[in-house]
C-alpha cells in the first residue's frame, strides 16, 4: 500500500523520542518528508533516525532557548526551510493534593510550556520572514477542564491552549498557521503511572498519529479526539461551576474514572 503524501517538504519535530511524535516522524519520513527529529540525546532518538533515510537526528534540549534556536538554524541549513514545526515535548506527573510533588510539578510546567514557547521562538521568525509555515502545538483535552489527580499536567496544557489561541489571533494574515492538537488518553509510557481503569477511550499511539495526520495537512486550528471526551470536557468547561463541579464528581463516581 502506497504511503500517503503530505504538503510539507521539511518537518521539525521536538519531543521526537516520545511515542506519539516518534510515530508521526516515522509516517512522515516513510512518505518522503524530510524530518528533523529533536530531543535530548538518547538511544530512542538514534533508533528513530536509523529507521528511515528521511529522518535526521538534531539533538537539543528544549529548555535551553539558545541551544534550540541554534538547532532550528542547523535544520534549515541542512534540510531547507521548515514547513511544519510540530512542538510535542511533554511529560505527565501525577498530582496528589496530600503529598504534592513540587519538583515534578515545576518540571512538568517547564517542559510542557517552556518547551513549546522555546520552540516557537526558534522557528517563528523565519516563518514570518518567508510568510509561510505551520506551527503544530501538542496540547491535551485535559487542558480544557480541571480533573482530579491532574493538577500539574492539566494546568500546563491549559497554558498551552491559551498560548495557541493567542498565537492564532496574532498570526492572522501572516501566512503562518497554528494548529492545536488535543488528544485524550493515549497508551504511551508518558502516562504509564496513570490508573488504567481511569483511561477512558484510550487509544494506541498508531491510531493517534494516524488521526493527527489525517487532518494536519488541512491546517485546521484544532485537532481534538476522541469526540466523547472532547464533548464532555468542553461542555463542562462552558457550564457554570455550580453545575460543572457536581457533574464531574458524579461522572467520576459513575465511571470509576
Amino acid at each position: 500500500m502506497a504511503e500517503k503524501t503530505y504538503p510539507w517538504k521539511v518537518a521539525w519535530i521536538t519531543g521526537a523520542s516520545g511515542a506519539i511524535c516518534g510515530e508521526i516522524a516515522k509516517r512522515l519520513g516513510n512518505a518522503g518528508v524530510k524530518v528533523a527529529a529533536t530531543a535530548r540525546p538518547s538511544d530512542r532518538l538514534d533508533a528513530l533516525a536509523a529507521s528511515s533515510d528521511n529522518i535526521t537526528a538534531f539533538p537539543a534540549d528544549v529548555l535551553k532557548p539558545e541551544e534550540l534556536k541554534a538547532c532550528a538554524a542547523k535544520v534549515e541549513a541542512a534540510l531547507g526551510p521548515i514547513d511544519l514545526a510540530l512542538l510535542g515535548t511533554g511529560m505527565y506527573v501525577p498530582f496528589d493534593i496530600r503529598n504534592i510533588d513540587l519538583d515534578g510539578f515545576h518540571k512538568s510546567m517547564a517542559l510542557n510550556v517552556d518547551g513549546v514557547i522555546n520552540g516557537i521562538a526558534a522557528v517563528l521568525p523565519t516563518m514570518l520572514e518567508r510568510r509561510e509555515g505551520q506551527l503544530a502545538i501538542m496540547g491535551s483535552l485535559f487542558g480544557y477542564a480541571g480533573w482530579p489527580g491532574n493538577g500539574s499536567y492539566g494546568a500546563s496544557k491549559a497554558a498551552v491552549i491559551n498560548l495557541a489561541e493567542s498565537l492564532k489571533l496574532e498570526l492572522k494574515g501572516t501566512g503562518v498557521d497554528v494548529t492545536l492538537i488535543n488528544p485524550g488518553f493515549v497508551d504511551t509510557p508518558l502516562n504509564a503511572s496513570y490508573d488504567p481503569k481511569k483511561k477512558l477511550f484510550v487509544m494506541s499511539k498508531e491510531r493517534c498519529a494516524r488521526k493527527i495526520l489525517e487532518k494536519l495537512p488541512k491546517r485546521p486550528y484544532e485537532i481534538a479526539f476522541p469526540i466523547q471526551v472532547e464533548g464532555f470536557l468542553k461542555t463542562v468547561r462552558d457550564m457554570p461551576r455550580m453545575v460543572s463541579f457536581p457533574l464531574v464528581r458524579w461522572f467520576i463516581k459513575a465511571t470509576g474514572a
Side-chain angles (χ1 to χ4, degrees):
M1 182 175 177
E3 285 288 339
K4 181 179 174 64
T5 58
Y6 296 101
W8 315 289
K9 292 182 179 179
V10 177
W12 182 40
I13 302 178
T14 64
S17 60
I20 298 172
C21 287
E23 183 66 23
I24 291 173
K26 290 178 183 177
R27 289 171 182 257
L28 291 178
N30 289 340
V33 178
K34 295 179 182 177
V35 178
T38 293
R40 286 181 295 183
S42 68
D43 292 341
R44 285 181 296 174
L45 184 62
D46 293 339
L48 177 64
S51 70
S52 170
D53 291 339
N54 289 321
I55 301 176
T56 306
F58 287 85
D61 187 341
V62 298
L63 295 182
K64 297 179 178 178
E66 291 306 315
E67 182 177 318
L68 199 59
K69 185 176 180 180
C71 177
K74 289 178 183 177
V75 171
E76 297 213 326
L79 304 181
I82 295 170
D83 304 308
L84 169 68
L86 173 56
L87 308 172
T89 303
M91 68 181 294
Y92 168 80
V93 175
F95 187 78
D96 181 356
I97 60 172
R98 292 171 181 79
N99 186 25
I100 296 175
D101 178 4
L102 285 177
D103 183 57
F105 184 94
H106 292 306
K107 285 181 178 178
S108 177
M109 291 295 290
L111 196 61
N112 295 351
V113 181
D114 293 350
V116 169
I117 191 61
N118 290 343
I120 291 168
V123 76
L124 184 56
T126 57
M127 286 185 173
L128 287 173
E129 189 175 308
R130 298 194 311 268
R131 297 189 61 82
E132 204 285 323
Q134 183 177 9
L135 296 172
I137 300 170
M138 192 68 74
S140 169
L141 288 178
F142 291 93
Y144 277 123
W147 201 259
N150 208 33
S152 56
Y153 186 75
S156 68
K157 294 304 183 178
V160 167
I161 289 171
N162 191 289
L163 172 62
E165 290 175 350
S166 299
L167 286 168
K168 179 65 176 178
L169 291 168
E170 292 191 60
L171 290 173
K172 181 177 175 59
T174 66
V176 179
D177 290 309
V178 176
T179 298
L180 174 64
I181 303 170
N182 285 333
F185 283 114
V186 182
D187 190 15
T188 72
L190 181 74
N191 55 42
S193 61
Y194 204 93
D195 186 345
K197 296 178 182 178
K198 298 181 179 182
K199 295 180 183 179
L200 302 176
F201 301 99
V202 65
M203 69 185 68
S204 67
K205 65 178 182 180
E206 291 83 5
R207 185 181 176 209
C208 179
R210 185 174 66 250
K211 289 181 75 67
I212 290 169
L213 289 175
E214 283 173 356
K215 297 183 178 180
L216 195 58
K218 299 176 184 177
R219 299 193 174 204
Y221 167 65
E222 184 183 22
I223 300 172
F225 54 87
I227 191 171
Q228 300 94 329
V229 180
E230 176 193 4
F232 182 79
L233 290 176
K234 287 185 176 180
T235 298
V236 165
R237 174 197 60 184
D238 295 336
M239 285 179 169
R241 291 298 170 255
M242 63 183 296
V243 177
S244 68
F245 288 154
L247 177 61
V248 170
R249 293 190 186 102
W250 169 85
F251 181 84
I252 289 171
K253 184 177 181 179
T255 63

